[in-house]
Amino acid sequence: MATKELNVSLDAEGFLTDPNQWTPEIAEAMAEEEGIAPLTERHWKVINWVREEAARTGEFPSLRAISKRSGVDTKELYELFPKGPARKIARCAGYPKPKGCI
Amino acid sequence: MSGERKLAIICSKGSLDMAYPGLILANAARMMGIEADLFFTFWGMDIITKDKVDHLKVTPVGNPAMHMPQFVGGLPGMTDVATAMMKREIERLDIPPVREFLQMVHDAGCGIYACKMAAEMMHLKREDLVDEVDDIIGAMEFLEKAEGAQLLFI
């Protein structure tokens, strides 16, 4: 299913504008558009950790923080979410485009 | 769009403050899916030399952005003070130390190359350089790799 059919609000680049609207189906739809579907257990490990961390701190975690604390290291992050992991993780996790430099 | 974009960064300075711009940009490029290569030459070799990488310094002397009289910057110990201050701020922003940063950008798929001429000038061999260095190459080989890339000289 395309993200446009999910009846959620997206910004111009296809990021969810309100993380509270997120559902696992949205993650699957985003993954499909990013060319990384179907999501594996390793993808979900990242997505779930990112959502918990963002909910806890109120900020989307840096890629460095994800690689250090989610249990998935930098190399694997780039394999799971190739060609732009920052964007792909944020989209699948239902967060706006990350602004951090790291 | 970003699939074809490519960045090649030449790092020619070996101070702590000049080590970060190249690393941060290369890492940001990789996070966006842009190809990136780092080429270290001349004083930049310190950044990838095993026994130097953890001891890079920032010096207040000759740096007007430090906003202190030049003679104060030249007093004994001022370089260590400035270095400690910068390291503390870097840590606070969740930016890794240089050694860890090199590993991070390399794991992210960024190529790390050392300049052959600079290595020879400074009597540095492969084993003197950090493990992340992919190869020691000449200027022509670097330019071949950088074909079509946006080039930055730092």
Side-chain angles (χ1 to χ4, degrees), chain B residues 9-21:
Chain B
I9 304 173
I10 299 169
C11 301
S12 72
K13 304 277 202 307
S15 58
L16 184 64
D17 48 325
M18 294 306 263
Y20 277 103

Side-chain angles (χ1 to χ4, degrees), chain B residues 6-138:
Chain B
K6 196 170 152 188
L7 191 62
I9 304 173
I10 299 169
C11 301
S12 72
K13 304 277 202 307
S15 58
L16 184 64
D17 48 325
M18 294 306 263
Y20 277 103
L23 290 167
I24 288 172
L25 285 169
N27 186 59
R30 293 302 303 138
M31 290 200 301
M32 294 171 67
I34 297 171
E35 265 188 65
D37 279 332
L38 284 164
F39 183 71
F40 293 88
T41 187
F42 281 91
W43 314 123
M45 295 293 283
D46 276 11
I47 301 169
I48 50 166
T49 303
K50 272 181 192 164
D51 61 2
K52 302 260 176 63
V53 58
D54 296 322
H55 309 289
L56 303 178
K57 298 203 184 309
V58 48
T59 172
V61 176
N63 183 357
M66 288 280 179
H67 303 290
M68 60 170 78
Q70 287 296 298
F71 77 90
V72 175
L75 291 174
M78 282 312 283
T79 294
D80 289 335
V81 169
T83 302
M85 271 172 65
M86 186 173 164
K87 284 190 169 168
R88 195 167 60 232
E89 289 304 308
I90 283 168
E91 173 86 35
R92 193 175 62 79
L93 295 173
D94 197 31
I95 299 168
V98 174
R99 190 186 281 266
E100 187 194 327
F101 213 146
L102 284 166
Q103 192 192 345
M104 190 168 84
V105 294
H106 195 249
D107 284 350
C110 174
I112 296 182
Y113 299 98
C115 168
K116 191 163 184 294
M117 194 178 118
E120 282 169 8
M121 240 176 80
M122 297 168 187
H123 305 280
L124 293 168
K125 300 215 160 48
R126 177 64 190 85
E127 60 266 28
D128 300 320
L129 306 175
V130 296
D131 296 342
E132 284 77 19
V133 172
D134 290 299
D135 205 357
I136 302 175
I137 61 176

Side-chain angles (χ1 to χ4, degrees), chain A residues 71-82:
Chain A
V72 179
D73 65 17
T74 304
K75 269 189 190 164
E76 196 182 351
L77 283 175
Y78 276 84
E79 282 161 18
L80 293 170
F81 302 93

Side-chain angles (χ1 to χ4, degrees), chain A residues 7-40:
Chain A
N7 202 24
V8 289
S9 54
L10 303 170
D11 68 12
E13 290 183 75
F15 291 87
L16 210 62
T17 51
D18 175 10
N20 293 319
Q21 293 186 325
W22 183 88
T23 61
E25 293 78 64
I26 291 174
E28 293 286 357
M30 295 282 195
E32 196 141 327
E33 288 184 0
E34 291 291 343
I36 55 169
L39 292 172
T40 64

